[in-house]
Structures are given as structure tokens and as C-alpha cells.
Amino acid sequence: MTPDEFRTLGHRLIDWIADYRSGLAGLPVMARTEPGEVRGRLPASPPEEPDGFDAILRDLDEVVLPGLTHWQHPSFFGYFPANASPASVLGDLLSTGLGVLGLSWQACPALTELEEVVADWVRQLVGLSDAWAGVIQDTASTSTLVALLCARERATGYSLARGGLQAESQPLTVYSSDQAHSSVMKAALLAGFGRDNVRAVAHDAEYAMCPQALEEAVRRDIAAGRKPCAVVATTGTTATTALDPVGAIARVAAEHGLWLHVDAAMAGSAMILPECRWMWEGVEQADSLVLNAHKWLGAAFDCSLYYVRDPEHLVRVMSTNPSYLQSAADGRVRNYRDWGIPLGRRFRALKLWLLLRAEGVEALRARLRRDIANAAWLAGQVRGTPGWKVLAPVPLQTVCVRHEPPGVDGEALDRHTLAWVERVNRSGKAYLTPATLDGRWMVRVSVGAEPTERGHVEALWELMRQEAERSPDGG
Amino acid sequence: MTPDEFRTLGHRLIDWIADYRSGLAGLPVMARTEPGEVRGRLPASPPEEPDGFDAILRDLDEVVLPGLTHWQHPSFFGYFPANASPASVLGDLLSTGLGVLGLSWQACPALTELEEVVADWVRQLVGLSDAWAGVIQDTASTSTLVALLCARERATGYSLARGGLQAESQPLTVYSSDQAHSSVMKAALLAGFGRDNVRAVAHDAEYAMCPQALEEAVRRDIAAGRKPCAVVATTGTTATTALDPVGAIARVAAEHGLWLHVDAAMAGSAMILPECRWMWEGVEQADSLVLNAHKWLGAAFDCSLYYVRDPEHLVRVMSTNPSYLQSAADGRVRNYRDWGIPLGRRFRALKLWLLLRAEGVEALRARLRRDIANAAWLAGQVRGTPGWKVLAPVPLQTVCVRHEPPGVDGEALDRHTLAWVERVNRSGKAYLTPATLDGRWMVRVSVGAEPTERGHVEALWELMRQEAERSPDGG
């Protein structure tokens, strides 16, 4: 494909995407295809000869589109907001179009330096001190793995340079709330700690980690001859956006020498609002933290910001220095390959740069405030309606609800919950994801897709009532 | 930014990229900015108010562009080819524009199923049997880490579900050639094996791993009470594209129960040419392999294909199953979150799909054959010119060369090599990366950028001679 063919087809594709975004409200939010249906409509073997762009766009419309659940839809209330703001889509297009790679500073200086700049911009925006240095990773899962690897190596005095974790005699232990994201357990297992050495600390009535329970767990492990290594505090848990008390957890961590990692993947975006910063009070005492600019903030996935207080330690854990990557500039520059797992790196900073410049920070703040107000409105409606319950505090944009008809409880209540949410999703008019809380299914309403206005939340609430109340026995 | 603003600005950006690609040959290949120069030209704080697109494009031209080393330039001969083929740029734009996420099959069925299809297309293209199942990861670094984690867990009978690697009594060991990529050592260290338990196996005269040396190393470790766990064979090493003898290594692996991972990150693309498949003969005996479609093949970074023979084992090592990701379809679908580290996943399959459909496989084969012929031509020129040497076999597109003026050797030769390659790079007319081989600097000429034709290689050779021969003392 020549640059001029690219130009022509690129214009068509930009139009296709603009039309897609404009027309989203008219599409069913959730994909309606059955397992294997999309696969079954695609050729089993790759094409020897080129296909025309018309054929490709036709397959896009007829095969791919029906198999999409539309995350950018104004009535998408599932999982979490993953806003691919149009400005950031353009920034990402630029990155791919340039086709440059950051293996080292030398391999593309602007790629590294713009990343330094935008990571620092976000640091300022969320109110962190300049003691923090940042890098863009793909996801919070990876960032948390990097954090636990750094914790492991600090606790063992760089065992990786000797016999590895397998040569350590005293078992290292890791702590998080029992409401922490599944990626914390996954990271701990991949880092080699083992499930027996990962503690799920109890939560309080608001689903936040109980620091007293953490303290007790740490003391029990010490008494049993184990070595407490790391604790992960969550600012905005997945189920309920609960807020672990970072300051209190930091005191336990400091007393016992634990690495403190703050998982603010979801709620980190909200820290651009000064009125929200109490939510992670104490964060300055952490060793590392992650916030996903690709969630609520609006940078297209993947754009996870990972901050550390001791970049030298991070580099010592992650660095490699093969000859073909060495250059005369090495002592004076950042080589971000040594700040994470992959060697090759996209020019991810561009999507964050374009988002911040084309939108301006004040507009992002206004959008997040709109979403918080919409969630508060919904929570008020739910609380004021007989038979409905809000199950957890609503500090941000997620409302955890259940419809509890009189006399329906236990597994019958679970069946009822899963049935009405399924009816909502099948309607195509909105998309919600259920989750368990205290062992029972409930429904998370996650407000915050970029085009979601109050009217969409009102329509959702009407739909929820209609689908839940029509059949109290679980239909 | 509204969809209509996106449409207008998107057209401008597509034009900018088309112009960039058309005009690349006129730009200096290597960035000429000093450390900190790009950073210093950007505002220290983020903008409160939006900037117009004109200002953004102006900064792109004036601040970002001079700081780029142009990987898509026809005279880019550095590192390795990282072709972001225009068709794949469009596929990636589509992915970002759709803004969908694959947390699970349910979260976006087409994202998962198209990935299954294109991963299987590539499997067929490179001549692998249908015993392999594939997934797209970001990079070979990550894929190799996943492979070593899977090896660790097979060798320990899933220690992660118990006390972890730290509870194992017998040290596990890992093997690769001393020419293996730095990511192999990095993966082994991150997985917890420890540097003392990673063996750099000697290479033969062609820089390929010596299977006899591997066998001896394994036996020594067994005799010392250690437990050999995994071996990484490389098809196309970074320095010289050397080809480890996969079949012979597989026999050692089978005898001693080692996990065999094949790192075909670079040369895997060449396996779309039937005449190249002897290069990884024995690959069907491996447990896992990685090939980077984002290198020579042309899919925009990041697009690393990871194949395994036992997906059930992979899923058992990597899986998490939180309630909010469960759905009724789970038993009947692939949940690719359990095939790698990150939970969230981009719709990466689109860039590979568009590449293969818009170009057709026959065109990709022709391009790779062109590059191999160009590298062979260059090697012939070098071999036929007094004072010049080809230092390693040239099975593919990388030619390792040194200019060795009479009487210049040792460190003086290193100074000479680094000086002339620096002059080539500073000229802006071509870009080369030096590396060490047998303890001495040499120059890797990596042919294979998409727009590189024979004329560009001829011009490079003339430039190399001019810059190297003008000053034999390293001046």
C-alpha cells in the first residue's frame, strides 16, 4: 500500500470511525453473537491475493461489528469506563503512523522525552509531589507485577543477581484486601511467592482494608518465621470503588519494612479533582503506584501510568544492557526499557499528549464531576425506591445495587439478580456487569463513558426497574 | 472532541502521515537532538485550556519530528526491521477508534475470535502443525517470560498454588545460547530463577548453540543436585541471525524433561517462505515459541505471536477468574486474559487482519525474498572488497561486517569501527547499529524496512566504504 493509497483509504476509515461513534447510541450495547459465530464467518485460511478495501469494510460491517460489545456507547455501564477519547485516538494513530520504537533513548529520543513530560504532567494533575518518577506501562496488571518484583528484590537484597527467589530460606509474604483486584494475586503467583504466602486481609463495613487486621496478619507471619514483603492498597476497588486507608496501611508498612504499592488503577483518574484527593491520603508514603489513564480519564487503551519513588531500584531490578543498545548518551538519559518488562515500546505518550492538549485539563475535570454527580443521582433514586438497595458507599462513579423483593433471598435472590441483569443486557439498551459481594450477586452500575449524560442514566434506571420489578421471583 | 471534529482532524492527520511516509527519504534517518532537547522545548505543566489542532501539528513538526529516529525510512538499517505497514496502521486505527476491550470473551466476542483466526492464519503461513494454539502478546520479552513461568510451574507441579518457587528445595536451572537475546536472562531473573541458575551455553563457529555443550551443562547441573527446567533456542539471534539447531536441542530437552521455548522473534517471519523452514527444523518438538509479526512481517508494533502446544497448562498457570468476569459462555470460549499477563487487551488482531487481507500473503513473501537477496548482494560486495569482512553466515537479512585496515586491531579496531559507524549515522543518509561479537565491536546491517530497495543498499555500501576507508586509524 503506497502512501497515497493510505491517504485515500485512511480518509474512508476516519469517516467510518466518525460514523461509528456518531451512530453508537442506535446500536445494541452488548454483542448478540453466540460463541464461535464470528470465527465461523471468517475464512479458515489467509488470503494469497490482496482483497479490495470494499470487501474489508463490508466484513467489518457484517462480521466484526455484530460481534462487538460497544465500550464507547453512551449506555455502557459495564466493568469500568474505558474511554478512548477521539483526541487520544488521533494521538494513537500518530504513534502507529510514525512507526517508531523506543528500545532505548537513542532509538528514538522524542519517544522517551515526551513520555517523561506527559508522565510528569499527570503526576502534577493528580497532586503527587515531585519525589515521584513515572513511566507508561500497558496495564495495571503488569504494573502491579513490576511492583511486586521490586518488592521481592528489595526484601531479598537483589536475590535475582544470585540464586534467585528459590534460594531464599525465609518465605516472603504479600498482603492485600480481600477486595483487591485479581491481578494482585496473579502478580504474586507469577512473581513466585505462592498462594500460601498471599494474605487476603479482611475489610471493614465499607469494603476497605482493615489496617488492624493487616497489622495482625503481619505479626502472625513474623511469629511463624516468615518475612512480610509487600502490601497492596487499593484506591477504588473493582467491585465497589472502596478506598483502602492508605495512610494507616503506610504506617504498618513502615513499621515492618513492607513495600507499599497503591493500586489506583480506577480511582487514580479522579485525583485530578482536588476534592477527591482525601481518598488516597497517605499516598506519598507509598513505594509505587499505578493509575490507568486508559480508564475514566480518556486515553485510549493501553496507557497505565506507573510511578515510583526510587527509579534507581526499579532499574536495578529490570535492567539489561546488551551491546547493541548501548550509546554514548546512556549516562544522561532515561532508558525506559529498564522501567518495565518489554524491550520494545510504542510511542504511547502521544495519545496522552493529544488528549491533554486538545481537551485541556479543565474539560476533563468537568466530565469527571458530571459522572460523579450522575452516580450520586442514581444512588439517590435507588435508595429512595422500595425493594432496592445501594450496597456500598458511592465515593465515585460506581453504584452497587440489588433489587430485593420481599421474601426472596439466598440463591433465589441470586437467580433474580442474574435474570434481570441478563434481561437488561439482552435488551441492547444498556450494559451492566454483575459481581459478587459478601458471597451474593449484585449489580455494578459503572457510570463514566465519555458520551454518557444524565438522560442515559435516567433511561437506565427506568430500564432496571422495568426488568427487575416485573418478575420478582426470578422469572 | 465531537465525532465530526474527529472526522475533520482525522483527515488532516491521515494526510500528515501520508506526507510523512512519502517524504521520509528526504529526512535524516537518525535523530540529531541532544539529551533533554525535546523535553526542554515542551511546557513543564499540562494545559488547563484546550490548544487548537494547528498548534499541536506545529509542535509535532517543530519539536517531535526532529527528535525521531525514523524506523520506516528506506535507509534504516539499525536494530531490526519494525515495519508498520500502512495497511496495518489502518487496522490499528480501527482498533483504537472502536475502543473496545477484551477482558473476557463476553466483553467483546469479535476481539477474541478474530484473534483466534489470525493467530491460526499465521500458524498455517509459517508451516506449523495444527497442534499449536496462538495468542497475540505485546513483545517477545513478555512471551519469553510467560514461557519460563510455564516451564517453572511444570517443573514444580504448580508450586504457585502452594508455597511458590521460594518453597522449592531443588534449584531449577535455565539454558540458552550465549548469543540469546537479553530478554531471556531478564525473563529468567524476573521469574525468580536467579543469575546463578542461568547457563549461557557455548556457540559453534556459526554462532549457533552447541547441543553437545548444552548436554554437558545439563548433566553437570544434575550431578550437582540441581533440576534442569527450561532451554531457550533462538531462530535468528539478535547479533547475527544465527540459527540454533532446534532439533538437536529438542532431543536434549526431551531426554531431560526440559521445557523447550523457541525464540523466533526475528526469523519467525521468514518461515512464510517454505525455502527457509529448514532453519527451525525440529520446532514441532518445542513446548512454546514466539515470533514477532511486528518485525519483518509488517504488522505495526506491538504484535508478538506466542504459540503453545498445551493451552490448558498455560491457562492453569495464568488464569484468574473473578466474579465480574464470569459469564455463561465461559466453558465454550477462549478467555485470552488467561493466556498472558495483562487482563485488559487491545483489539490487536485487526492490524494483522488488515495487513494480510490488504496485501495478500504472496506480496509479503515477495518482499521478504527481496530483502534476503539484497542482504546476499551486500554480503557479496563486502566479501569481495579488500579490508572488509563478513563475520557470520547470512541466512536472512542481517549482514555483520567489519572494516579491518591492515595493522589495526584490538581496541584500535574498536575505535575505528565505532568512529565510522558514527560518521555514517551522523550523515543522516543511513542508520546502522554496532554490536559486539566475540568481544569486539562490529556493525550489523539489518536490511528489511518496507521501502528499502536494492538502490538503497547500494547507496549504503558506497557510504560505508567512504566513511570507513577514508580514515583507517579511527580518526
Side-chain angles (χ1 to χ4, degrees):
Chain A
M1 188 180 290
T2 66
D4 275 330
E5 288 165 334
F6 171 82
R7 188 189 311 268
T8 308
L9 301 176
H11 285 182
R12 285 182 65 184
L13 198 59
I14 289 286
D15 287 339
W16 190 95
I17 293 168
D19 292 343
Y20 169 74
R21 290 291 183 106
S22 316
L24 262 175
L27 297 175
V29 193
M30 184 180 78
R32 288 165 167 178
T33 52
E34 291 299 310
E37 193 174 333
V38 173
R39 191 175 57 232
R41 299 187 65 189
L42 293 163
S45 298
E48 284 291 315
E49 298 299 324
D51 269 333
F53 210 65
D54 287 335
I56 294 172
L57 284 184
R58 195 170 53 238
D59 280 354
L60 186 58
D61 283 321
E62 294 176 5
V63 180
V64 175
L65 208 55
L68 301 179
T69 294
H70 304 288
W71 286 63
Q72 308 303 317
H73 194 293
S75 295
F76 180 89
F77 299 98
Y79 309 109
F80 48 80
N83 292 308
S85 192
S88 86
V89 174
L90 296 180
D92 198 57
L93 166 59
L94 193 52
S95 168
T96 318
L98 289 170
V100 294
L101 246 69
L103 303 184
S104 61
W105 177 87
Q106 164 84 27
C108 197
L111 185 154
T112 294
E113 295 191 14
L114 191 65
E115 185 163 334
E116 289 181 64
V117 168
V118 296
D120 198 65
W121 283 5
V122 174
R123 176 193 67 73
Q124 297 170 48
L125 287 178
V126 299
L128 291 171
S129 79
D130 62 7
W132 296 91
V135 60
I136 304 178
Q137 312 272 13
D138 60 351
T139 60
S141 298
T142 302
S143 298
T144 297
L145 175 56
V146 170
L148 291 188
L149 292 168
C150 287
R152 184 188 80 185
E153 295 306 314
R154 192 175 75 178
T156 60
Y158 303 99
S159 67
L160 52 64
R162 304 185 310 272
L165 184 62
Q166 52 182 346
E168 295 299 302
S169 54
Q170 205 184 4
L172 304 175
T173 51
V174 175
Y175 308 80
S176 69
S177 141
D178 57 6
Q179 298 290 304
H181 190 261
S182 57
S183 59
V184 177
M185 175 63 89
K186 182 167 180 171
L189 299 190
L190 298 184
F193 292 100
R195 195 177 289 266
D196 293 350
N197 298 309
V198 185
R199 309 277 171 260
V201 178
H203 60 260
D204 66 15
E206 299 196 330
Y207 301 99
M209 189 196 288
C210 178
Q212 184 61 32
L214 171 65
E215 173 78 38
E216 286 161 14
V218 167
R219 289 190 184 281
R220 264 196 307 275
D221 280 322
I222 293 171
R226 290 180 284 260
K227 186 173 181 179
C229 170
V231 56
V232 179
T234 308
T235 302
T237 59
T238 307
T240 70
T241 63
L243 306 162
D244 287 348
V246 178
I249 293 168
R251 283 188 287 279
V252 178
E255 187 183 340
H256 300 286
L258 277 70
W259 183 282
L260 172 55
H261 175 62
V262 175
D263 173 1
M266 177 60 215
S269 297
M271 301 307 144
I272 68 170
L273 305 177
E275 67 269 28
C276 285
R277 290 191 192 142
W278 62 268
M279 294 181 188
W280 70 2
E281 183 275 316
V283 69
E284 287 289 331
Q285 311 311 314
D287 294 287
S288 56
L289 76 90
V290 60
L291 68 90
N292 285 348
H294 63 236
K295 285 195 163 81
W296 200 4
L297 200 62
F301 188 88
D302 43 5
C303 193
S304 179
L305 284 149
Y306 180 64
Y307 292 92
V308 295
R309 296 177 69 86
D310 185 354
E312 213 174 293
H313 172 70
L314 174 60
V315 168
R316 191 160 163 196
V317 174
M318 309 299 290
S319 73
T320 59
N321 196 22
S323 65
Y324 77 103
L325 294 179
Q326 292 164 15
S327 85
D330 281 356
R332 296 179 290 154
V333 297
R334 274 191 197 171
N335 281 313
Y336 272 135
R337 68 170 182 272
D338 298 332
W339 292 53
I341 295 168
L343 169 57
R345 311 184 78 251
R346 276 174 72 82
F347 201 161
R348 286 200 187 100
L350 285 171
K351 55 189 170 190
L352 199 44
W353 189 60
L354 251 88
L355 174 70
L356 294 171
R357 289 199 62 181
E359 297 293 326
V361 176
E362 201 41 50
L364 300 183
R365 289 197 197 98
R367 176 161 59 76
L368 267 56
R369 287 186 177 121
R370 172 200 69 176
D371 297 338
I372 290 173
N374 283 342
W377 176 85
L378 178 64
Q381 297 297 309
V382 174
R383 283 192 195 100
T385 305
W388 288 84
K389 268 195 193 152
V390 173
L391 302 170
V394 184
L396 293 165
Q397 46 53 265
T398 301
V399 189
C400 295
V401 305
R402 197 155 48 215
H403 177 242
E404 302 186 347
V408 179
D409 57 14
E411 294 189 4
L413 183 57
D414 277 350
R415 282 194 300 274
H416 174 62
T417 303
L418 293 174
W420 74 253
V421 75
E422 179 72 6
R423 286 195 293 269
V424 166
N425 290 347
R426 290 269 161 212
S427 78
K429 294 180 198 157
Y431 184 70
L432 296 168
T433 39
T436 54
L437 191 66
D438 299 328
R440 283 268 89 85
W441 286 97
M442 55 93 183
V443 178
R444 296 168 67 256
V445 182
S446 173
V447 178
E450 200 175 84
T452 304
E453 300 291 347
R454 176 65 58 87
H456 301 104
V457 182
E458 289 169 354
L460 169 73
W461 173 228
E462 196 177 333
L463 179 64
M464 286 165 63
R465 290 198 61 176
Q466 178 190 314
E467 296 300 346
E469 294 176 9
R470 82 169 194 202
S471 167
D473 58 355
Chain B
M1 188 179 290
T2 66
D4 274 331
E5 288 165 336
F6 170 83
R7 189 189 310 269
T8 308
L9 302 175
H11 285 182
R12 285 182 66 183
L13 198 59
I14 288 285
D15 287 339
W16 190 96
I17 293 168
D19 292 343
Y20 169 75
R21 291 290 183 107
S22 315
L24 262 175
L27 297 175
V29 193
M30 186 179 76
R32 288 164 166 178
T33 52
E34 290 299 308
E37 194 174 331
V38 173
R39 192 176 55 233
R41 300 186 65 190
L42 292 163
S45 298
E48 284 291 315
E49 298 299 323
D51 269 333
F53 210 65
D54 288 335
I56 295 172
L57 284 184
R58 195 169 55 237
D59 281 354
L60 186 57
D61 283 321
E62 295 176 6
V63 182
V64 175
L65 208 55
L68 300 179
T69 294
H70 304 287
W71 287 64
Q72 307 303 317
H73 196 293
S75 295
F76 180 90
F77 299 99
Y79 309 108
F80 48 80
N83 292 308
S85 192
S88 86
V89 174
L90 296 180
D92 199 56
L93 165 58
L94 193 53
S95 168
T96 319
L98 289 171
V100 293
L101 246 70
L103 303 185
S104 61
W105 176 86
Q106 165 83 24
C108 198
L111 186 154
T112 294
E113 296 192 13
L114 191 64
E115 186 163 334
E116 288 181 65
V117 168
V118 295
D120 198 66
W121 284 5
V122 174
R123 174 192 68 72
Q124 296 170 50
L125 287 177
V126 298
L128 291 171
S129 79
D130 62 7
W132 296 90
V135 60
I136 304 177
Q137 311 272 13
D138 59 353
T139 61
S141 299
T142 302
S143 299
T144 297
L145 175 57
V146 170
L148 290 189
L149 292 168
C150 286
R152 185 187 80 186
E153 295 307 315
R154 192 176 74 177
T156 60
Y158 303 98
S159 67
L160 53 65
R162 303 184 310 273
L165 184 62
Q166 54 183 347
E168 296 298 302
S169 53
Q170 203 184 7
L172 304 176
T173 51
V174 175
Y175 308 81
S176 68
S177 143
D178 58 5
Q179 298 289 304
H181 190 261
S182 57
S183 59
V184 177
M185 175 63 89
K186 183 166 179 171
L189 298 190
L190 299 184
F193 292 100
R195 196 178 288 266
D196 294 350
N197 299 308
V198 184
R199 310 279 170 258
V201 178
H203 60 258
D204 64 17
E206 300 196 328
Y207 301 98
M209 189 195 289
C210 178
Q212 184 62 32
L214 171 65
E215 173 78 37
E216 286 161 14
V218 167
R219 288 189 185 281
R220 265 196 308 275
D221 281 322
I222 293 171
R226 289 181 284 262
K227 186 173 180 177
C229 170
V231 57
V232 179
T234 307
T235 301
T237 60
T238 307
T240 72
T241 63
L243 305 161
D244 287 348
V246 179
I249 292 168
R251 283 187 287 279
V252 178
E255 187 184 340
H256 299 287
L258 278 71
W259 183 281
L260 172 55
H261 175 62
V262 175
D263 174 0
M266 178 59 216
S269 297
M271 302 306 144
I272 67 170
L273 306 176
E275 67 270 28
C276 285
R277 292 195 191 139
W278 62 269
M279 297 182 186
W280 70 2
E281 183 277 315
V283 69
E284 287 289 331
Q285 311 310 314
D287 294 288
S288 56
L289 75 92
V290 61
L291 68 91
N292 284 348
H294 63 236
K295 286 195 163 80
W296 202 4
L297 200 62
F301 187 87
D302 43 5
C303 192
S304 179
L305 284 148
Y306 180 64
Y307 292 92
V308 294
R309 296 177 68 86
D310 185 355
E312 213 173 295
H313 173 68
L314 174 61
V315 168
R316 192 161 161 194
V317 173
M318 309 300 288
S319 73
T320 58
N321 196 21
S323 64
Y324 77 105
L325 293 179
Q326 292 164 15
S327 84
D330 280 357
R332 294 178 293 153
V333 297
R334 274 192 197 171
N335 281 313
Y336 271 134
R337 69 171 182 270
D338 298 332
W339 291 53
I341 294 168
L343 168 58
R345 311 183 79 248
R346 276 174 71 82
F347 201 161
R348 288 200 187 99
L350 285 170
K351 54 189 170 190
L352 199 44
W353 189 60
L354 250 89
L355 173 70
L356 294 172
R357 289 200 61 181
E359 297 293 326
V361 175
E362 202 41 50
L364 301 183
R365 290 197 196 99
R367 174 161 61 75
L368 267 57
R369 287 186 177 120
R370 173 200 69 178
D371 298 336
I372 291 173
N374 284 341
W377 175 86
L378 177 64
Q381 298 296 308
V382 175
R383 284 195 195 99
T385 306
W388 287 84
K389 268 196 191 150
V390 173
L391 302 170
V394 184
L396 293 166
Q397 47 54 265
T398 301
V399 189
C400 295
V401 305
R402 197 154 48 215
H403 177 242
E404 302 185 349
V408 179
D409 55 16
E411 293 190 4
L413 183 57
D414 276 350
R415 281 194 300 276
H416 173 62
T417 303
L418 292 174
W420 74 253
V421 74
E422 179 72 7
R423 287 196 293 271
V424 166
N425 290 347
R426 290 269 161 212
S427 78
K429 294 181 199 156
Y431 185 70
L432 296 167
T433 39
T436 55
L437 191 66
D438 298 329
R440 284 266 90 83
W441 286 96
M442 56 94 183
V443 178
R444 296 168 67 256
V445 182
S446 174
V447 179
E450 200 174 84
T452 304
E453 300 290 347
R454 176 66 57 88
H456 301 104
V457 182
E458 288 169 355
L460 169 73
W461 173 229
E462 196 178 331
L463 179 65
M464 286 165 63
R465 291 197 61 175
Q466 177 190 314
E467 296 299 347
E469 294 175 9
R470 82 170 195 202
S471 166
D473 60 354

